[in-house]
Amino acid sequence: MTSRPRRIVFLGTHGQYNVGDELLLETFLTTLGPEHRYVVNSYDPAFTRRQLAGRFDVTVIDTARDRHRLLRALRSCDVVCFGGGSIVKELYASTGRHRYATLLMILAIVTFTRWVARRPVAMLHVGVGPLPSGGGLRLARLVLAQVDVLTVRDLRSRATCDRVGVPAVVVPAVVVPAVVVPDAVFSVDRAALLGDGAAPEPPGDATGPLRVALNLNVDVENPAAWEQFLTALAGALVHLDARHGVDVHTLPMQTGFKEHDDAQVLAAFAARLPGVRVVHHAVATPADAARLVAACDLVVAERLHTIVLAAVLGVAPFVLAYDVKVRELARTLHVEPWTVDVNDPPGVDVVAARLLDLADRRAQVARAVADRGAALHREAVAALADARAWVARAG
């Protein structure tokens, strides 16, 4: 017997022109099923409506302005889902927002849903942390103790849940442990990422210089180290160019919405690469990003979902670990030897040695990362099947 379609409020960071976040949205709605009716939040509702048009029965509300519509949706839905992303965290000072802004917003939503609307809440494939302050830990405990289903995308998130007292906290709700699962984007296969199996068009001559996809993101834990990091990375790329010849292909995963977006940061960084050919790309969709990654020999990236794309598509990643979630992904993919800490960067010689080593071993590393990505794909598919089954029963 087929269960009835559910009314799902699906919440995340949508409409900020972040390719990774939009890919998460599409992944979850596709997996949970087009038969359901969705209410989705967005910072740009028109953008999100265009993104989802014709594929889902969805109402899009404005994250910043439609608070009353959100409350009505919470009261009339069958289930509330937070899908992917770093949901339970303190914000870095570099974002320009209060450190607890996200935690307080999510606490208000979860508490209203639990005690007023009396609807079940799922947090699926989310990141938990960083939570460096006592206040952040207390707020996270209040949030997580009210959640019915909690799956986290790495072991560090699980350890943070244990640290804040989940599942040890006892409240008049169903308290569940945090189950570790891969990031939801690992569930998407190569053909779907590239757009119905379309073969990537190489951005350069396949027999010529190394093609390096480069992504940068200025919102880091330690802004004081940013200049030192950029100097070291630029020097390493110049060394790589001297040995192999390099075409750097910019991969902005977020263009617009905020000051100093990826496209602006990459454009400024290009000036640090005298003599290196830099090809600038406009990336509007997940398929744009996937095709560029697949057509390159190396991916040098900060953004988590750029690195996930590299793993799924079998391209060797050089990880620029700006955040706990990216450090955890590097550990999961077993690429720590080719990882640099953005917040405490080594000198040019060290970064160059690691990058040159990856270039020399790129075929071997690409195969290993692809094998690891395939295993994570199977785990993510199974976890999302469980989530879909839970949603079908909930409410």
Side-chain angles (χ1 to χ4, degrees):
M1 181 177 176
T2 303
S3 62
R4 66 176 175 83
R6 292 301 197 244
R7 296 163 298 177
I8 302 171
V9 175
F10 188 87
L11 302 175
T13 308
H14 313 132
Q16 293 189 359
Y17 320 133
N18 183 311
V19 170
D21 291 335
E22 310 313 336
L23 181 53
L24 278 173
L25 174 60
E26 295 194 17
T27 299
F28 276 107
L29 266 58
T30 299
T31 302
L32 295 177
E35 69 273 18
H36 300 303
R37 294 167 55 194
Y38 296 95
V39 173
V40 172
N41 70 304
S42 174
Y43 286 90
D44 185 341
F47 171 88
T48 301
R49 289 189 194 99
R50 290 193 299 272
Q51 177 191 359
L52 303 176
R55 294 182 290 156
F56 304 98
D57 182 354
V58 60
T59 299
V60 182
I61 62 174
D62 192 303
T63 302
R65 298 182 178 87
D66 287 343
R67 303 295 171 84
H68 291 295
R69 290 183 69 192
L70 174 59
L71 295 179
R72 289 196 298 271
L74 294 174
R75 298 193 71 154
S76 63
C77 71
D78 294 303
V79 62
V80 175
C81 292
F82 293 84
S86 298
I87 296 295
V88 183
K89 67 177 181 180
E90 295 180 41
L91 299 178
Y92 298 135
S94 58
T95 67
R97 299 169 62 196
H98 192 279
R99 66 193 305 173
Y100 299 147
T102 296
L103 280 169
L104 289 169
M105 178 178 64
I106 292 175
L107 176 60
I109 292 170
V110 169
T111 302
F112 181 90
T113 303
R114 167 64 62 188
W115 299 106
V116 179
R118 298 191 178 277
R119 298 293 190 268
V121 178
M123 289 190 173
L124 304 174
H125 299 248
V126 300
V128 177
L131 296 165
S133 73
L137 291 170
R138 288 188 290 273
L139 289 170
R141 184 179 301 120
L142 291 171
V143 169
L144 296 175
Q146 301 183 75
V147 173
D148 296 273
V149 172
L150 176 61
T151 58
V152 297
R153 66 186 177 191
D154 53 58
L155 290 171
R156 183 64 177 268
S157 291
R158 172 58 196 266
T160 304
C161 289
D162 292 341
R163 183 179 169 214
V164 303
V166 175
V169 172
V170 178
V171 297
V174 179
V175 179
V176 295
V179 177
V180 180
V181 297
D183 186 272
V185 172
F186 277 110
S187 71
V188 187
D189 62 25
R190 178 186 180 92
L193 284 173
L194 295 175
D196 299 321
E201 296 182 5
D205 183 353
T207 63
L210 283 180
R211 295 159 299 180
V212 177
L214 175 65
N215 166 257
L216 294 174
N217 165 38
V218 73
D219 293 330
V220 299
E221 291 175 350
N222 180 18
W226 181 245
E227 178 62 28
Q228 180 185 345
F229 158 70
L230 292 179
T231 299
L233 179 61
L237 287 168
V238 170
H239 278 289
L240 184 65
D241 181 59
R243 177 180 293 186
H244 291 283
V246 167
D247 284 349
V248 172
H249 294 269
T250 64
L251 177 52
M253 292 291 279
Q254 185 176 34
T255 303
F257 187 76
K258 66 173 188 175
E259 283 190 276
H260 309 301
D261 62 26
D262 294 11
Q264 293 171 325
V265 172
L266 287 163
F269 182 75
R272 297 172 179 262
L273 302 174
V276 178
R277 182 170 181 254
V278 178
V279 183
H280 293 279
H281 296 268
V283 175
T285 69
D288 291 342
R291 290 170 186 159
L292 181 53
V293 167
C296 285
D297 301 296
L298 299 175
V299 169
V300 178
E302 287 185 70
R303 294 278 190 185
L304 182 139
H305 285 110
T306 311
I307 302 161
V308 172
L309 289 177
V312 174
L313 297 168
V315 180
F318 190 77
V319 177
L320 308 175
Y322 80 97
D323 191 316
V324 59
K325 64 190 178 191
V326 180
R327 287 192 289 272
E328 281 297 294
L329 180 58
R331 183 197 59 77
T332 299
L333 294 175
H334 309 312
V335 293
E336 296 100 319
W338 307 288
T339 297
V340 170
D341 187 345
V342 172
N343 300 289
D344 186 18
V348 173
D349 291 345
V350 173
V351 178
R354 293 178 190 175
L355 184 56
L356 289 167
D357 181 63
L358 179 61
D360 292 341
R361 301 185 187 205
R362 62 187 180 277
Q364 174 190 348
V365 174
R367 286 192 297 270
V369 167
D371 289 344
R372 184 67 180 129
L376 294 169
H377 170 78
R378 293 189 291 271
E379 292 178 28
V381 167
L384 285 169
D386 290 342
R388 178 169 180 160
W390 180 83
V391 166
R393 300 190 303 267

